[in-house]
Amino acid sequence: MEYGRMADAYARAVAPAADQLSLGLGLRLVRASGAFVKAAEIEVQRPLKLNWSYFSTIYVISVFKSLEARTIARFTGLTRQAVSIVLAGMEKAGLVIRSSGNQEDGRLVSIRFTDQGEETASRSVQDQLRFSEKWFSVLDRDERAELNRLLEKLLEKGPQQAGRRDQ
């Protein structure tokens, strides 16, 4: 791609001693992520009256069944404030209910799906899986497995994880 070559050349000119591959990887990762989210919102989430923040929250709730907002924030990459806004919207739409399930700390609220939320989650996850299969079909199975492995390694062992407990 022309932009990629131009960006690499610019980086070499500005910082010739820097690791050009790492810079290029970071920029391409952000561009790929943005392109994926934008396309998924257009093809999957908008028809369901959702956006990526809602979908990622729905997915995390689907995995854990019942959890606290801070856990949603940790696994979606959203801020706690953003999660609070998403959950308020989901609650208003009848998709989730919040309940105080912690006797020691009443401030901790557990989130779980309503029946309507379960239906929305099932449909959105199925639609997203079909979209993801299509989007990543340019990679063969081994390439998809390798990309998954490498991204997981970055998420588990990258510098941003220093000092954090293993999830």
Side-chain angles (χ1 to χ4, degrees):
M1 168 176 267
E2 184 65 23
Y3 171 75
R5 286 190 296 275
M6 291 172 64
D8 291 343
Y10 173 75
R12 281 191 301 278
V14 171
D19 177 5
Q20 304 302 316
L21 286 175
S22 293
L23 177 63
L25 282 170
L27 293 172
R28 285 174 178 88
L29 181 61
V30 169
R31 286 181 58 220
S33 174
F36 178 80
V37 168
K38 182 178 180 181
E41 283 188 332
I42 291 168
E43 289 190 36
V44 180
Q45 277 81 55
R46 283 186 193 161
L48 297 173
K49 297 185 172 84
L50 302 172
N51 62 33
W52 188 259
S53 296
Y54 275 68
F55 173 75
S56 59
T57 299
I58 284 170
Y59 194 81
V60 171
I61 297 170
S62 296
V63 169
F64 288 94
K65 304 301 180 213
S66 178
L67 70 165
E68 296 168 355
R70 65 183 177 186
T71 305
I72 294 170
R74 187 169 67 235
F75 288 110
T76 60
L78 298 170
T79 65
R80 287 188 186 189
Q81 182 180 8
V83 169
S84 180
I85 291 167
V86 168
L87 290 173
M90 291 175 72
E91 191 172 34
K92 186 176 180 179
L95 302 178
V96 298
I97 56 172
R98 303 185 211 201
S99 59
S100 180
N102 188 318
Q103 273 73 26
E104 291 104 39
D105 189 347
R107 296 172 299 166
L108 297 178
V109 175
S110 181
I111 293 98
R112 64 182 173 82
F113 286 128
T114 61
D115 289 342
Q116 180 185 348
E118 286 283 354
E119 291 173 22
T120 300
S122 178
R123 179 163 177 213
S124 67
V125 169
Q126 289 175 28
D127 290 354
Q128 183 62 45
L129 288 170
R130 281 191 293 278
F131 170 82
S132 295
E133 287 173 353
K134 183 173 71 171
W135 209 81
F136 290 107
S137 68
V138 299
L139 303 174
D140 66 34
R141 183 167 180 71
D142 290 341
E143 289 170 328
R144 291 192 308 271
E146 181 67 359
L147 183 56
N148 264 308
R149 185 188 71 74
L150 293 171
L151 291 172
E152 193 63 36
K153 183 176 182 177
L154 286 172
L155 291 168
E156 287 178 6
K157 299 180 181 186
Q160 74 279 6
Q161 296 304 317
R164 287 186 65 184
R165 275 185 317 149
D166 187 68
Q167 310 306 328

